[in-house]
Every structure is written in C-alpha cells, then in structure tokens.
Amino acid sequence: DLNSWENSLTLTVCLDFLNIQLYENEAEDKKLCIVFKYDPENSGFISTERFRDLLETHGSELDPHKLEVLLALADGNADGKICYQDFVNLMSNKRSNSFRRAILQGSRQLKGCSLRDEVGLGLSQRLVRHVAYETLPREVDRKWYFDSYTYCPPPWFILAITIAEVAVFMYYGLQLDRLVLQVSSPSFLKSPLPYHPQLRAQAWRYLSYIFMHTGIEHLSLNMAMQLLVGVPLEMVHGALRIGLVYVCGVLAGSLAVSVTDMTAPVVGSSGGVYALVSAHLANVVMNWSGMKCQFKLFRMAMALVCMSVEFGRAVWLRFYPPAFPPCPNPSFVAHLGGVVVGLTLGVVVLQNYEQRLQEQSLFWIFFCVYTLFVLCAVFWNIFAYSLLDVRLPPPP
C-alpha cells in the first residue's frame, strides 16, 4: 500500500512492477505529480491489456485478494483503459467512485474461492472475516476489508462511550442507593447531565443526557444493542463515520423532544443507539441478497423485538404517573429522532464503504436537511416556549 506523506517532506513511493513515482512539490501548491512510464502520451490512462500483463507478471508481490480485485478492475472496465489515479487510490485503500463502478458494471465476477471458504485463519482473522460478513454486502468489499484491517486503531469510540455510560450509571447508583428505576429518586434530575426543559439554555445537556439512564433495565438494553451493532460497524467504517451517525442521532433525539414533548426531560443513549441500529437494519434490507450473515432473518427479527421492547418501556414510563409531579417522566421521542437519522444520514454512510462521503450527493442532501432541522429547533427553543406560554415543570 502507498503510505501517506507529511506536509513538509517529500516522499517517493516506488512500486517496482509499475514504476510509479509520486512527488510532492511545495512550489506548485503541493500537487501530486506521477511519472508513469507505461503512459508515454501522458494521457493519464493505461490500456487494460497492458495492465493485465503487468499484474500477471508481478502479481506474486501483491496479496492474492488485492490481485483478484485488480484483475476484476481490468476485466470490468468497458472503456479498455484504466486511470492511473484510480490505481493510486486503490493501492492506498482510498477507492474512488470510478473504481466501484468498474467493478460493479464489469462483465466478470470475482474468481477464486469465497472468503468464507478459506481455512487456516487465526482467531483475529476469523473475527475480521465475521465482521466483514456481518456488515458488507459485496464480496469485493469483504475481501478488501479483510486484507486492509489491522486493528489499529481499535473500535475505541463505541467502547469509550459504553464504559463512560456504565461508569456514570454506577456512580449515581451508589449515590442514589438504587439501580432499578433511578428516575424515581428525587435527586436524579439534579445531576448536571440530563436534559431538562427549564435548563435548556445549558447547551451541553443536549448531548450529555446519554450518560444518564432511568435504571439498569434501560442501560442493559442500550448497551447490548450499542456493543453488538456499534463495534462491528466501527471496525468497518471507522470511528469518525460511526461517531458522526451516533452524535447526530443523540442531538436529533434531544432536539426532537424539545420541539414535540416540550415539558419532558430526556435521559439515555437511545437516540444514538437507534440511529446505528436502524441504519444497519436498513442497510441489510436494501442489500438483502448480498448480505451473507448467518440467520439474518432471525437476527433481524430479534433486533426489532429488542428495539420494540425498549421503545415500549420508554412509552410506558413516559405516561406512568411521575414520582415527583408536576415534572413528567423522561420522554420517548428521542428514540424516534435517532431512527430518522439512521434511516437517512446513517444509511448513506453505511452504503458507501471506503467511498468519500463528500462526493455523495445524497450525503449532502441529508446533511443539509439535518442542519436545517437543528437550526429550526434552536430557534424553536429560543422563541417558541415564551410565545406559546408553555407551562414548564420547576427546575430540579
């Protein structure tokens, strides 16, 4: 693979079998110049026939899965030529849209045995293979991910969020002297973490509420879904993308409550969890024939059951007589906000493995719609409560 280069240094990466040299020229705004000896006309392309000959001659220097994908790229390109920038992106694990189109529209399927049929793999390799089949619908993506994943960095985001949520729950469990239905304690909402309509000017509460849970039953369901779905997704798509979906779901959840359930507080990580789970389930449904995970129908049904049980518990608790009126119990609307984010922004993220999100028009459409919703909700929180003369519960 081609390594990334530092801004202040000049790095030359030489692939012997293609004799590609990359130079960084600071005088020309650090543009990438490529000397490609198989392109004497300097057109930026190489014929697929010459490309195949090079791969067959020097293919032993590449991982077999990567060689298989490169051959598919050569055979699947109907134009008879390959852009060397696509090749550079490919070797540096930054595959472009043109590469994906060449693979998907090619006349030839990937040859060789399926990744599932390979034997002699170690424990870590079997785990990576399992994650690939859990999350990716195409064999070419699964093989590429299997060869590229190195456990560095590990799926730290979901693990860190989970550890923090458990730690905060245990802290308040000891402080409030209860683990079940902590929300029934008079001191529960006095924490600086939950969202409360009287304290909505404290902006951090729109995110920090995820660290508080109504009880161990609430925490357990959220943690189970968060770890079982979030960790594999982060291993494939990275902390940045999964963190984006998770945080957008969390923020959408609290803002949705402030707009539609204006008198209720919010606690729990359900907004972020439901964003991840709904995005993953939608991705499975949209790529049903390509997803090769075992017992996918049964497991999808179980995921929907868990989501329904957790949502039903939240609805019941919201309308159950509060322990300390007039403050109502926490709202369930955050779950719905997370689902909407997962079915829009989340699906676009999961559908574009190793593709640049900034090149996807759907991503920008959903991101702009989400930004517009956030701005409208902010103005709603500033002006609507006073204009509508909403009677809010007293501050905790």
Side-chain angles (χ1 to χ4, degrees), residues 300-320:
M300 187 171 185
M302 291 302 299
L304 291 174
V305 168
C306 291
M307 293 177 70
S308 300
V309 168
E310 156 59 13
F311 182 70
R313 182 209 59 81
V315 173
W316 168 81
L317 182 62
R318 172 64 181 88
F319 295 106
Y320 189 80

Side-chain angles (χ1 to χ4, degrees), residues 162-179:
T162 302
I163 292 172
E165 289 171 354
V166 173
V168 170
F169 176 80
M170 295 305 299
Y171 170 78
Y172 281 101
L174 295 175
Q175 190 178 67
L176 302 176
D177 195 25
R178 67 182 67 189
L179 295 178

Side-chain angles (χ1 to χ4, degrees), residues 7 38 80 89-90 119 149 162 187 232 294 332 342 387 390-391:
N7 290 336
Y38 296 98
N89 293 339
L90 183 71
V119 296
Y149 188 72
T162 302
S187 302
Q294 295 180 335
F332 61 86
L387 292 176
V390 179
R391 292 186 178 183

Side-chain angles (χ1 to χ4, degrees), residues 333-348:
V333 178
H335 298 67
L336 303 179
V339 169
V340 172
V341 169
L343 295 179
T344 52
L345 198 61
V347 168
V348 175

Side-chain angles (χ1 to χ4, degrees), residues 247-315:
V247 173
C248 285
V250 170
L251 182 58
S254 56
L255 290 176
V257 172
S258 69
V259 171
T260 61
D261 198 0
M262 301 170 69
T263 62
V266 188
V267 295
S269 59
S270 298
V273 172
Y274 275 55
L276 293 180
V277 175
S278 58
H280 178 57
L281 294 182
N283 188 41
V284 171
V285 172
M286 294 169 63
N287 300 279
W288 187 261
S289 60
M291 298 299 289
K292 302 300 182 182
C293 50
Q294 295 180 335
F295 312 111
K296 58 184 176 183
L297 183 60
F298 171 76
R299 293 165 62 184
M300 187 171 185
M302 291 302 299
L304 291 174
V305 168
C306 291
M307 293 177 70
S308 300
V309 168
E310 156 59 13
F311 182 70
R313 182 209 59 81
V315 173

